[in-house]
Amino acid sequence: MSLTPRVSEILSYYEGETPGTKANLARMLMAGRLGGTGKMVILPVDQGFEHGPARSFAINPPAYDPHYHYQLAIDAGLNAYAAPLGPLAAGADTFAGAIPTILKMNSANSLSRQKEKADQAVTARVDDAVRLGCAAVGFTIYPGSDAMYDQYEELRDIASEAKARGLAVVVWSYPRGGDLSKEAETAFDVIAYSAHMAALLGANIIKVKLPSDVLADKEAKKVYEAQSIPRQTQAQRVAHIMQCCFAGRRLVVFSGGAAKDENSVLDDARAIHEGGGNGSIIGRNCFQRPRPEALALLDKIIGIYKG
């Protein structure tokens, strides 16, 4: 595999990583229709854990089948497919080598009554990712939760083992729990802080939600306003998130979030592209649409990232 100059440049940012980890980052960056551009579109399907099967798949029944998601990601020409252990294992033989995969190592579920102490259970091992031929492991942290320090320590151990085994590490950094209001979970300053913490914890790829223009922390608000950090447009907010991830030296992909209309999804992609983000990690807005519509939407998103 011959790397493009852009991918070689991105890999140069990851000093101190093992050759295996860099090789797997390259494997994802060179895959699919965006291969070589430094942009990524990833299909994540962990919503069955998070929201339950009917809420996730009843709107598009073929999506109950794990093979459906593998095939959707492959046919759309995506960079990677991310899922928990069960769905990945259910298609690991059939689709071996067809697309880079990310093993989601921890999950929550909507039956839990946790609020202030929002947490996730570790549901897989690094050995599983190696056995299934994954390019990376994925792990969620909840900055703001009363359980966040334990999560950081879990991530420390998982990331250390994964990188020693030559895997990359993708961190879902979602502010939640503690004293955070619903509005604060997507506030500009809080998302920026959460993305930066993921970088500090050693994430190779960082996944965050698109931020609103709200400033939720009173001490941070003083600085944002005194320094006139731009936040009026989504592209400006994306640019600041990238700045907070080591001045753009870390790959950052932005969550597609809850199901929305096509124009909103495409507007998000345009803002991410304009703001210098590395791409989208988009689940429900794809697999909850009929397959032809999902493929058409992903084609448009890839077109935006191709410029």
Side-chain angles (χ1 to χ4, degrees):
M1 178 174 61
S2 179
L3 303 183
T4 63
R6 177 57 180 148
V7 170
S8 294
E9 178 187 16
I10 291 170
L11 294 180
S12 75
Y13 300 156
Y14 289 90
E15 300 182 48
E17 298 291 6
T18 64
T21 294
K22 288 189 175 184
N24 272 312
L25 283 171
R27 181 178 162 196
M28 291 184 282
L29 285 164
M30 294 299 297
R33 293 174 56 199
L34 287 169
T37 65
K39 302 296 184 181
M40 310 179 80
V41 177
I42 298 170
L43 176 69
V45 187
D46 57 347
Q47 288 80 3
F49 236 134
E50 303 294 323
H51 306 297
R55 286 175 60 191
S56 301
F57 308 129
I59 192 170
N60 181 29
Y64 281 104
D65 184 348
H67 282 215
Y68 178 87
H69 304 289
Y70 268 103
Q71 198 66 60
L72 178 64
I74 292 164
D75 291 347
L78 304 190
N79 296 80
Y81 163 51
L85 177 60
L88 278 193
D93 293 343
T94 300
F95 300 102
I99 187 170
T101 53
I102 301 166
L103 175 59
K104 185 66 167 54
M105 297 279 292
N106 65 339
S107 291
N109 69 83
S110 61
L111 300 180
S112 170
R113 65 179 184 179
Q114 290 176 324
K115 291 182 175 63
E116 291 85 357
K117 197 178 178 181
D119 201 359
Q120 296 205 355
V122 178
T123 57
R125 293 184 171 88
V126 172
D127 279 347
D128 295 315
V130 174
R131 173 175 58 86
L132 296 174
C134 297
V137 297
F139 193 90
T140 295
I141 57 172
Y142 289 146
S145 169
D146 291 347
M148 65 181 165
Y149 294 124
D150 289 338
Q151 295 165 9
Y152 297 168
E153 292 177 1
E154 288 172 340
L155 174 58
R156 175 200 63 203
D157 294 342
I158 286 171
S160 177
E161 183 182 357
K163 292 178 180 185
R165 305 289 293 275
L167 301 177
V169 176
V170 185
V171 175
W172 277 239
S173 193
Y174 284 175
R176 189 173 300 176
D179 291 329
L180 290 176
S181 67
K182 201 68 181 173
E183 183 181 57
E185 290 179 2
T186 54
F188 184 35
D189 56 322
V190 176
I191 293 288
Y193 195 179
S194 298
H196 184 68
M197 279 195 275
L200 294 174
L201 287 162
N204 301 127
I205 300 174
I206 297 162
K207 176 190 177 187
V208 290
K209 295 180 180 179
L210 280 165
S212 70
D213 63 355
V214 170
L215 296 174
D217 182 85
K218 64 180 181 180
E219 295 302 321
K221 184 176 182 178
K222 295 174 187 176
V223 176
Y224 275 83
E225 292 179 342
Q227 299 303 318
S228 300
I229 297 173
R231 69 177 196 276
Q232 289 73 30
T233 70
Q234 188 66 267
Q236 289 173 331
R237 298 192 291 272
V238 167
H240 179 62
I241 301 304
M242 298 304 298
Q243 183 182 39
C244 291
C245 293
F246 298 169
R249 297 176 73 88
R250 290 294 178 266
L251 292 160
V252 184
V253 291
F254 292 84
S255 170
K260 60 185 81 169
D261 66 85
E262 180 177 304
N263 286 335
S264 296
V265 174
L266 297 178
D267 284 344
D268 286 348
R270 292 185 189 102
I272 295 165
H273 182 60
E274 184 182 343
N278 295 103
S280 299
I281 180 162
I282 180 168
R284 282 172 285 177
N285 280 291
C286 293
F287 67 73
Q288 289 188 343
R289 284 175 159 83
R291 177 181 157 85
E293 290 183 23
L295 288 171
L297 177 61
L298 288 165
D299 179 66
K300 292 175 183 177
I301 292 170
I302 287 169
I304 289 168
Y305 288 128
K306 283 185 170 182

